[in-house]
């Protein structure tokens, strides 16, 4: 029968994805190998093809994400020898007076604010090197701080149009502006950050080991002494400032963040004395390849109609009731974004939401906020739920501070559940 072949391919695609996910979660093989193997099998069974995997808008590798990461990794690699990260680490430790919990709060708030202005992936690339240095100085375990920062980046990135890639997709489909996100989501994000900081005090309490001697040593350090190459620092910070300005001015300039990051990286390598080989030394190649494999697998689920069917079933279950639709979108998006990367999920779901909104008039806009909140915050739930999570795991592994899938996920599930649950009364009281 004609319909049997596509149905069989869809079933096989789901089995391959689940199998790869289990391998990633159990860490039987490296996550990059699991993602590449899964992507190869998807191509083998014709769940996707070269055109769909590499070039199609809805189901291909998101090259904007890949090249944004590559460009920012090069910039970070050039800045690293200057000592700027040691400077920031000493400054942060002194501001926190060497107190571990104060330090986590400070780094988390900085990360959240920066993620709202830039994007969460760029922010964790910049904040992670600082975290390694300050934790080493204070003899603190680095993993809890990195995990807290990535949670903060995903929460903070929810506040603005440029903070999280799914928001850009939603804004494009719904015709929403930067100010719309600020007005509707930023106040809630402030509340969520307060809740999150309270959770950190409980979740990571065993990491807050205060060492008076180490703290005293750090307090005696002068941040300026950490700078080793002032000329390169000025060049790097100038280029970084231009890149950040271009990110913020995206609605005016219309340059994709990936293009901006690559231009910045190229300019910095050209004007500095750093060689190309030195510049790419800090690039997390396994992380970039993992993303490519993951995008191909999720794209295959899009191609075979699996994600569309799940999304449509959720929409049909609401039966035209706005309140129910918003709650299904919020919690359903949170659950699905924990399993598949939230970028292809939102790309698939946004046309369905666009059909639902007009039937509810002005109040229907709340469905867009439910989708954004569920997808952005649900990304915290697992180690592969959001791009920033994968980046942090890659950086940690490269620096011999490996964070396992379940070490991340056991905290992520709690943070995602609590923050998404906190969004429900906000949506209900403000819009429904």
């Amino acid at each position: 029968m004609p319909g049997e072949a596509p149905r069989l391919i869809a079933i096989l695609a789901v089995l391959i994805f689940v199998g790869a996910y289990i391998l990633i979660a159990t860490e039987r093989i490296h996550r990059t190998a699991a993602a590449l193997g899964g992507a190869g099998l998807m191509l083998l069974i014709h769940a996707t093809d070269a055109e769909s995997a590499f070039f199609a808008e809805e189901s291909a590798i998101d090259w904007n994400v890949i090249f944004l990461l590559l460009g920012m990794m090069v910039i970070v690699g050039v800045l690293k020898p200057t000592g700027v990260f040691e400077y920031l680490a000493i400054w942060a430790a002194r501001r926190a007076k060497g107190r571990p919990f104060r330090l986590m709060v400070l780094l988390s708030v900085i990360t959240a604010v920066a993620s709202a202005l830039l994007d969460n992936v760029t922010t964790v690339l910049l904040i992670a090197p600082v975290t390694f240095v300050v934790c080493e100085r204070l003899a603190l375990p680095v993993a809890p701080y990195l995990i807290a920062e990535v949670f903060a980046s995903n929460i903070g990135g929810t506040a603005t149009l440029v903070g999280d890639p799914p928001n850009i997709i939603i804004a494009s489909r719904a015709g929403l502006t930067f100010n719309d996100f600020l007005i509707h989501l930023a106040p809630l994000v402030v509340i969520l950050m307060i809740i999150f900081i309270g959770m950190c005090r409980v979740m990571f309490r065993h990491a807050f080991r205060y060492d008076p001697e180490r703290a005293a040593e750090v307090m005696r350090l002068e941040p300026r002494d950490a700078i080793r190459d002032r000329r390169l620092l000025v060049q790097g910070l100038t280029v970084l400032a231009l890149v950040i300005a271009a990110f913020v001015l995206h609605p005016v300039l219309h340059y994709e963040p990936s293009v901006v990051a690559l231009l910045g990286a190229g300019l910095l390598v050209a004007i500095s004395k750093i060689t190309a080989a030195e510049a790419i030394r800090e690039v997390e190649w396994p992380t970039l390849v993992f993303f490519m494999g993951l995008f191909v697998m999720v794209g295959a689920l899009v191609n075979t109609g699996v994600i569309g069917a799940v999304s449509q079933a959720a929409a049909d279950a609401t039966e035209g009731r706005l309140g129910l639709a918003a709650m299904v979108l919020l919690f359903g998006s949170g659950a699905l974004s924990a399993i598949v990367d939230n970028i292809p999920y939102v790309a698939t779901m946004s046309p369905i939401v666009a059909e639902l909104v007009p039937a509810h008039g002005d109040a229907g806009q709340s469905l867009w906020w439910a989708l954004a909140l569920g997808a952005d915050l649900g990304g915290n739930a697992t180690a592969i739920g959001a791009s920033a999570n994968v980046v942090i795991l890659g950086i940690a592994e490269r620096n011999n501070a490996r964070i396992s899938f379940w070490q991340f996920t056991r905290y992520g599930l709690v943070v995602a559940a609590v923050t998404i649950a906190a969004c429900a009364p906000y949506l209900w009281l403000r819009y429904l």
Side-chain angles (χ1 to χ4, degrees):
M1 294 177 65
E4 291 300 320
R7 191 178 298 118
L8 177 60
I9 291 173
I11 293 169
L12 289 174
V14 171
L15 292 174
I16 291 168
F17 183 83
V18 170
Y21 197 93
I22 290 170
L23 289 174
I24 292 167
T26 57
E27 299 177 328
R28 291 295 182 91
I29 61 174
H30 195 279
R31 62 179 177 273
T32 303
L36 276 181
L41 289 174
M42 292 293 195
L43 288 161
L44 185 65
I45 66 167
H46 297 295
T48 187
D49 55 25
E51 178 70 26
S52 297
F54 304 132
F55 306 111
E57 187 174 346
E58 290 188 355
S59 59
I61 295 169
D62 194 327
W63 296 111
N64 281 315
V65 172
I66 301 298
F67 287 113
L68 168 64
L69 286 170
L70 177 61
M72 293 309 299
M73 285 174 179
V74 170
I75 292 173
V76 169
V78 173
L79 280 171
K80 198 169 184 180
T82 66
V84 66
F85 297 120
E86 288 86 344
Y87 174 96
L88 292 171
I90 294 168
W91 175 86
R94 283 165 59 98
R95 292 288 294 178
K97 301 191 186 315
R99 297 283 179 178
F101 178 62
R102 287 185 193 172
L103 179 66
M104 182 174 282
V105 172
L106 180 64
L107 292 175
S108 295
V109 171
I110 290 172
T111 302
V113 173
S115 293
L117 296 175
L118 305 174
D119 66 86
N120 49 15
V121 172
T122 301
T123 300
V124 297
L125 281 169
L126 294 173
I127 201 74
V130 178
T131 308
F132 279 103
V133 176
V134 73
C135 287
E136 183 183 355
R137 293 277 189 179
L138 294 173
L140 294 170
V142 72
Y145 289 84
L146 292 174
I147 292 171
E149 285 162 8
V150 79
F151 292 157
S153 76
N154 288 327
I155 295 171
T158 305
T160 65
L161 187 154
V162 298
D164 211 352
N167 291 5
I168 299 172
I169 299 170
I170 290 170
S172 175
R173 174 69 67 164
L176 299 169
T177 66
F178 190 91
N179 288 338
D180 287 329
F181 278 84
L182 273 182
I183 293 166
H184 292 276
L185 297 187
L188 174 60
V189 166
V190 173
I191 297 169
L192 294 178
M193 277 303 298
I194 293 170
I195 294 171
F196 170 67
I197 288 169
M199 293 176 69
C200 284
R201 182 70 187 181
V202 178
M203 291 191 304
F204 302 117
R205 61 188 179 278
H206 299 302
F208 303 138
R209 299 193 302 266
Y210 178 62
D211 187 330
E213 291 182 9
R214 290 268 191 164
E217 286 177 19
V218 169
M219 294 301 290
R220 286 193 294 268
L221 293 173
E222 189 60 47
R224 285 176 295 181
D225 294 340
I227 301 301
R228 298 187 292 272
D229 189 332
R230 295 185 183 278
R231 184 171 181 272
L232 183 59
L233 176 63
V234 171
Q235 292 172 330
L237 291 182
T238 301
V239 170
L240 182 60
L242 291 172
V243 168
I244 291 171
F247 284 163
V248 175
L249 294 173
H250 170 71
V252 178
L253 300 176
H254 302 294
Y255 286 114
E256 291 297 328
S258 55
V259 175
V260 172
L262 285 176
L263 287 172
L267 175 62
L268 186 53
V269 173
I271 65 175
S272 69
K273 294 180 180 178
I274 297 289
T275 66
E278 291 171 325
I280 64 171
R281 194 173 295 152
E282 293 299 315
V283 173
E284 300 284 340
W285 297 111
T287 299
L288 297 183
V289 175
F290 172 77
F291 271 124
M292 293 179 199
L294 188 63
F295 279 129
V296 171
M297 285 198 295
V298 175
L301 296 182
V302 172
N303 258 1
T304 54
V306 173
I307 291 181
V310 172
S311 302
Q312 189 64 57
D316 292 343
T318 63
E319 299 176 346
R321 288 176 286 178
L322 179 60
L324 180 60
M327 293 303 107
V328 168
L329 265 178
L330 175 65
F331 290 101
S333 298
L336 286 171
S337 293
I339 301 169
V340 299
D341 189 277
N342 53 16
I343 297 172
Y345 166 74
V346 169
T348 305
M349 193 65 195
S350 53
I352 297 170
V353 176
E355 293 178 9
L356 296 174
V357 168
H360 301 286
D362 292 340
Q365 194 183 62
S366 62
L367 298 179
W368 290 117
W369 306 131
L371 176 62
L373 290 167
D376 293 347
L377 299 174
N380 272 333
T382 67
I384 63 169
S387 303
N389 309 8
V390 179
V391 171
I392 278 290
L393 264 63
I395 294 173
E397 186 174 15
R398 186 185 181 93
N399 288 272
N400 299 315
R402 187 174 166 277
I403 300 170
S404 73
F405 180 94
W406 289 110
Q407 184 182 0
F408 183 99
T409 303
R410 73 182 184 213
Y411 296 117
L413 287 171
V414 176
V415 171
V418 171
T419 52
I420 291 174
C423 295
Y426 176 84
L427 289 173
W428 198 273
L429 293 172
R430 183 164 180 181
Y431 304 108
L432 304 176

